[in-house]
Amino acid sequence: MNVNYNSGYARKYDHLWKFPESLYQPQLRLALQKLGIKQKPHILDVGCGAGNHALFLQNFFDGETIGLDASIAMLKQIKEKGTEIKLLRACGENIPLVHSVFNLVFMSYVLHQSEMKDRFISEVYRVLKRNGRVAILTSSHSQLRSDFIHQYFPRILEINRKRFPPLDEIKKMLTKAGFVNVNFSEISIKQEASVEEVIERIRGKPMSVFKLLSEDDFQSGLKTFEKKFRLKYKDKVAFKDSSSLIIATKLV
């Protein structure tokens, strides 16, 4: 179940997730703080999309960052920002770089989109330096179930439970590839937004899974969502956004 990130969707996606406007910048900052990296690392952002995470990574660590993505349209969005971040068009299953290059490989909500997850993780291991780390942001199945959006788009949960590997499976894949010290933590941030801001975001299909719904399913869910969401929350809505952070180390 692959998503086509064409130029129109890439621009819309970039607008919906752009920092610092994005609601999720605090969550990313908390995740990066947990890495405890002191020196200026050489970083690879796999599945960098429109580059908002890559830009944040480079500024946060003050280290050189390379953004890798398979979508020409997404990489074009980064170039239009005039950034000095180096870009590479490729997929995570075939990283066209030599061994042992990076101190940190970061990926945010990318692994579930791969159809060759073991190869993906093996490639990440290959390009990491000794004592380098991988940081993976994803959702556990319990986090998926608790997402309020499934009340209005029930097909999304069905689709995502097939796409997102359980955390214990990710640990097995990391261990099989050679990683050690595999640690899990939950990254939770309390957010507040206007009801209209949330509705406008959902209209824009901010998550890739929305592209996997039929248009009839999406419009039906959107109609129910807008009506019930406004009735329930009126003006402002407070919610907890939770992700799972997985950190593992390459020792050899």
Side-chain angles (χ1 to χ4, degrees):
M1 292 185 286
N2 291 320
V3 175
N4 178 20
Y5 292 99
N6 57 40
S7 58
Y9 184 64
R11 284 192 296 272
K12 183 186 293 184
Y13 184 92
D14 186 24
H15 172 72
L16 291 168
W17 293 100
K18 190 172 293 183
F19 296 138
E21 293 87 351
S22 172
L23 295 171
Y24 300 96
Q25 187 183 29
Q27 188 184 62
L28 179 58
R29 183 183 298 277
L30 184 57
L32 297 181
Q33 288 171 343
K34 283 183 174 289
L35 289 168
I37 294 176
K38 304 299 182 183
Q39 80 278 19
K40 294 182 180 181
H42 193 191
I43 306 165
L44 178 66
D45 182 6
V46 180
C48 65
N52 296 315
H53 284 145
L55 286 166
F56 193 86
L57 284 163
Q58 182 158 281
N59 293 330
F60 186 88
F61 289 115
D62 192 25
E64 183 181 3
T65 301
I66 293 178
L68 180 147
D69 204 281
S71 167
I72 294 176
M74 284 293 191
L75 294 177
K76 184 180 178 181
Q77 290 299 117
I78 304 178
K79 290 180 180 178
E80 290 177 357
K81 297 170 185 175
T83 175
E84 295 181 358
I85 288 177
K86 296 178 181 178
L87 303 176
L88 188 61
R89 189 193 175 204
C91 60
E93 297 86 355
N94 291 286
I95 301 174
L97 294 169
V98 297
H99 292 55
S100 306
V101 179
F102 300 99
N103 306 105
L104 171 65
V105 174
F106 177 83
M107 47 181 151
S108 177
Y109 285 85
V110 173
L111 185 61
H112 67 278
Q113 301 193 51
S114 174
E115 295 181 357
M116 296 185 289
K117 295 177 180 61
D118 281 309
R119 180 176 176 84
F120 191 118
I121 290 176
S122 292
E123 278 290 271
V124 168
Y125 184 88
R126 181 182 66 79
V127 299
L128 275 170
K129 293 180 179 180
R130 184 176 182 181
N131 295 319
R133 277 177 284 181
V134 60
I136 303 170
L137 274 176
T138 185
S139 286
S140 68
H141 282 205
S142 63
Q143 288 166 339
L144 291 174
R145 287 192 297 270
S146 66
D147 193 329
F148 72 87
I149 206 67
H150 297 132
Q151 301 173 37
Y152 312 101
F153 299 90
R155 272 282 290 150
I156 287 181
L157 179 59
E158 179 184 342
I159 294 170
N160 273 342
R161 288 179 69 180
K162 294 177 181 178
R163 298 173 82 208
F164 281 76
L167 299 187
D168 60 341
E169 285 189 15
I170 297 177
K171 181 176 182 179
K172 289 177 183 177
M173 287 186 280
L174 289 165
T175 302
K176 179 181 177 182
F179 284 101
V180 298
N181 300 329
V182 182
N183 294 306
F184 300 87
S185 59
E186 182 173 87
I187 305 295
S188 296
I189 296 290
K190 291 183 179 180
Q191 306 279 8
E192 185 177 271
S194 72
V195 167
E196 294 307 315
E197 182 181 6
V198 174
I199 289 174
E200 187 61 29
R201 186 175 286 265
I202 298 302
R203 284 176 182 159
K205 301 181 179 180
M207 297 177 289
S208 62
V209 68
F210 281 111
K211 299 285 285 183
L212 301 176
L213 292 178
S214 70
E215 191 59 24
D216 286 344
D217 280 344
F218 176 72
Q219 292 299 334
S220 175
L222 182 63
K223 184 178 180 180
T224 302
F225 170 72
E226 290 189 17
K227 180 180 179 181
K228 291 187 176 181
F229 203 69
R230 285 193 178 102
L231 286 172
K232 184 174 183 179
Y233 294 107
K234 306 300 181 184
D235 181 39
K236 292 281 187 180
V237 54
F239 58 95
K240 184 177 80 169
D241 186 71
S242 297
S243 293
S244 291
L245 174 65
I246 307 167
I247 300 173
T249 304
K250 174 182 178 178
L251 287 185
V252 180

